[in-house]
Amino acid sequence: MTNEEKAAQLWQQTGFAQQTVIQTAVAAPLLAGQSVAGVAPTGSGKTLAYGIPTLSRLTPGAGLQLVIIVPAQELAIQIRDVLTPLAKTLDLGFQGLIGSANRERQIKRLREKPEAVVATVGRFIDLLEEGKLRLDTVKTLIVDEFDSFEPEALADILSIRRGGLPQTANLGLFSATDSQAILGEFKAAWPELTLVDETKTDKSRGPVKHLLLDRQMTGKIQVLERLAREKHQRIFVFFNHKHVLQKVASQLRYQHVPASMLITDGRQVQRAEALQDFRSGKVPLLLTTDVAARGLDVADVTAVVNFELPDTLTTYIHRTGRTGRQGAPGTIYNLGNDHDLRDLRHLVGDRIALENEPGETKPTAKHQPANSATTSEPPAPSARKPRKKALTSAEEEEASAKKRKKRKERWRNKKNVGKHW
């Protein structure tokens, strides 16, 4: 059976009637052993795009031939679960090398000489340096979500090229956004690397609204409560800081709002349970960070909430790409004060159409005509109540500190009454 026939068999096994744009674009180059960087929207089927052609090139019993490196444990588990049945069809062994899993058990399974592995970078480098892995038979190195690795991790991945990887081994880089700087580093090691960017040609995205909601902390939590109580919701809630995530999770528990947490330093069993509860619909909210959720594929995500706004366009694209997949509608709720929302507008520029919260459209310097079809006439100033100026988090903390100081002073004064008389 030729490699092309193997690939056709695996595509038939997946049950997909039609391949996506990125799957069609990279299939032939990867089957031919060429090096490609595939960039396409989140949810466009990149795992199968590289998984099927690279598995089709492997030979049973010929040692380790395919290495897939990923930035997050959950992503490694997801890829392992998707590709293992396909590997079995071709009589290939497929193993996960995940940082939080039992190391000795992984070493024992490596003695069975799997033809393919998916690994988090730290665990892979450790096993490689200890001589538990050999690279001399590897045909393909895949780096998934290549733009999300820390510089140290990228350096480790590039060191694989010098650590015994055959010069004939081809490279596959995949992500939802590209990074010219990172691509340049890999191109220095693989000069034949070709970029295949399908972000503009992929039309699988459904209609997605990007809303701006002016909220402080209490108002943000109220948004989550309201969304969680609506029927048939599956919502990613993104945070920049773990301590904020944990504080919000605690308040949601107090309000009896069903939600799960996915954080990088949680126990693997807890993380797996949180993800399963979210995927199954048992809980409507998954509170997470970018690192913990990078690359996760969850079907039927109805909305994404940016509880803390991202500080890069790349992060915004990765987060928001989790809804509106395969033609389904989606909504993005961006929460913050006036300053935060202005910064977000500046960040995304003309790339994404951001809308003010329905019913609270603020007047700008240039209003549209009163009979415009897209906006309603702002209410007269006399009909509005004056709005308190939103405080930044630093101003809120300063105000709280002043209140605490005054309370202490009042307590001391009360305690010391009559002491010196």
Side-chain angles (χ1 to χ4, degrees), residues 118-419:
V118 56
T120 50
V121 62
R123 178 56 56 90
F124 185 84
I125 296 298
D126 286 346
L127 294 173
L128 184 62
E129 290 178 345
E130 293 178 20
K132 307 299 182 183
L133 285 166
R134 292 183 58 184
L135 302 180
D136 54 315
T137 55
V138 172
K139 294 180 178 180
T140 302
L141 172 65
I142 298 290
V143 184
D144 204 350
E145 301 292 338
F146 70 88
D147 61 342
S148 66
F149 288 91
E150 295 295 327
E152 296 81 3
L154 280 173
D156 286 338
I157 295 170
L158 286 164
S159 72
I160 296 173
R161 179 68 156 170
R162 303 183 295 272
L165 191 71
Q167 291 299 305
T168 55
N170 67 314
L171 172 72
L173 303 177
F174 287 86
S175 189
T177 59
D178 68 351
S179 167
Q180 291 302 314
I182 296 175
L183 286 174
E185 292 186 53
F186 279 101
K187 199 168 180 61
W190 279 270
E192 71 279 12
L193 181 66
T194 302
L195 176 63
V196 179
D197 190 341
E198 300 293 346
T199 51
K200 293 181 179 178
T201 55
D202 189 297
K203 304 298 182 184
S204 62
R205 293 276 285 167
V208 176
K209 286 187 176 182
H210 297 254
L211 301 179
L212 303 174
L213 279 67
D214 189 342
R215 297 290 191 278
Q216 298 295 326
M217 175 61 79
T218 302
K220 291 181 178 184
I221 294 175
Q222 289 172 349
V223 169
L224 297 186
E225 291 177 17
R226 175 177 62 81
L227 291 174
R229 300 194 194 285
E230 293 179 4
K231 292 183 178 180
H232 311 301
Q233 294 296 311
R234 188 175 283 116
I235 302 168
F236 271 100
V237 185
F238 281 99
F239 295 81
N240 300 335
H241 304 95
K242 187 181 72 173
H243 70 275
V244 179
L245 185 158
Q246 292 172 322
K247 178 181 178 181
V248 171
S250 177
Q251 295 191 40
L252 291 176
R253 279 195 299 271
Y254 181 76
Q255 298 291 341
H256 304 290
V257 177
S260 291
M261 285 195 309
L262 185 65
I263 52 179
T264 54
D265 56 359
R267 292 178 56 218
Q268 183 59 46
V269 174
Q270 293 173 330
R271 290 156 58 127
E273 184 179 347
L275 197 52
Q276 177 57 32
D277 287 347
F278 183 61
R279 281 191 164 126
S280 66
K282 185 176 179 180
V283 297
L285 304 178
L286 183 68
L287 281 55
T288 187
T289 60
D290 298 293
V291 175
R294 179 53 67 91
L296 287 182
D297 184 18
V298 179
D300 303 322
V301 174
T302 54
V304 170
V305 175
N306 285 317
F307 197 94
E308 293 183 283
L309 300 179
D311 54 8
T312 69
L313 179 59
T314 295
T315 302
Y316 189 87
I317 291 172
H318 275 286
R319 288 184 182 184
T320 59
R322 287 175 168 79
T323 189
R325 295 183 173 188
Q326 302 305 315
T331 306
I332 313 300
Y333 298 93
N334 296 299
L335 312 182
N337 59 33
D338 285 341
H339 177 75
D340 298 329
L341 300 178
R342 279 199 304 271
D343 284 349
L344 182 63
R345 281 191 180 278
H346 183 264
L347 182 72
V348 304
D350 296 331
R351 292 279 300 270
I352 298 165
L354 300 175
E355 306 175 30
N356 287 318
E357 182 178 6
E360 293 191 10
T361 304
K362 299 179 182 179
T364 58
K366 294 181 180 179
H367 294 301
Q368 289 184 312
N371 60 355
S372 169
T374 57
T375 61
S376 58
E377 184 177 355
S382 58
R384 295 182 179 177
K385 292 182 179 179
R387 189 171 187 174
K388 289 181 78 174
K389 181 183 176 183
L391 298 177
T392 65
S393 57
E395 289 171 336
E396 286 180 340
E397 181 60 31
E398 183 179 356
S400 297
K402 287 180 179 179
K403 288 180 181 179
R404 289 194 299 270
K405 185 177 179 181
K406 287 182 179 179
R407 282 198 299 269
K408 286 181 180 179
E409 288 176 352
R410 285 197 299 268
W411 181 82
R412 289 195 191 100
N413 292 338
K414 184 177 181 180
K415 185 178 179 182
N416 292 328
V417 168
K419 254 192 173 182

